[in-house]
Amino acid sequence: QVQLVESGGGLVQAGGSLRLSCAASGRIFSVGAMGWYRQAPGKQRNLVARITSSGSANYADSVKGRFTISRDNGKNTVYLQMNSLEPEDTAVYYCTAPIYSDGRFSDYWGQGTQVTVSS
């Protein structure tokens, strides 16, 4: 059973930092591009950042210069370093990735981790 498990969310004051982690586990042959999405109450889920297996990254305009995505292919883990956090960053953060397991690629999502930024 393949799963993605996020960790590292919490409550932080504006201007602070948090580091999210997301580890893929199970019968994994390969992992494609890994991404972080977020969803605030009453809003749709939007892409925050994405990184390919070769390390090429792209970011939502709202987080450029503040957030950094990275990954450890050996550990099937993706990270999101979030600096200069703003109240507008408050959301549930989800990681996602296409994972090749049991002969096919399937899209997987984590359960989400809450990030709350107080003003």
Side-chain angles (χ1 to χ4, degrees), residues 19 59 63 66 70 87 114:
R19 188 189 194 215
Y59 300 90
V63 307
R66 300 188 298 121
S70 60
Q114 176 70 46

Side-chain angles (χ1 to χ4, degrees), residues 26-86:
R27 293 171 54 88
I28 296 171
F29 183 77
S30 67
V31 181
M34 304 184 81
W36 288 97
Y37 283 70
R38 67 186 181 186
Q39 186 168 22
K43 297 188 177 182
Q44 66 182 14
R45 190 175 298 187
N46 292 317
L47 177 67
V48 175
R50 179 179 176 272
I51 185 167
T52 66
S53 56
S54 60
S56 178
N58 61 280
Y59 300 90
D61 288 343
S62 59
V63 307
K64 283 181 181 177
R66 300 188 298 121
F67 291 10
T68 302
I69 190 171
S70 60
R71 65 189 284 171
D72 184 330
N73 291 332
K75 296 181 179 179
N76 290 326
T77 298
V78 63
Y79 306 96
L80 186 67
Q81 178 66 43
M82 305 184 294
N83 299 329
S84 301
L85 283 161
E86 304 168 352

Side-chain angles (χ1 to χ4, degrees), residues 4-28:
L4 295 174
V5 179
E6 301 108 334
S7 61
L11 173 64
V12 64
Q13 288 188 329
S17 298
L18 284 173
R19 188 189 194 215
L20 306 183
S21 300
C22 173
S25 63
R27 293 171 54 88
I28 296 171

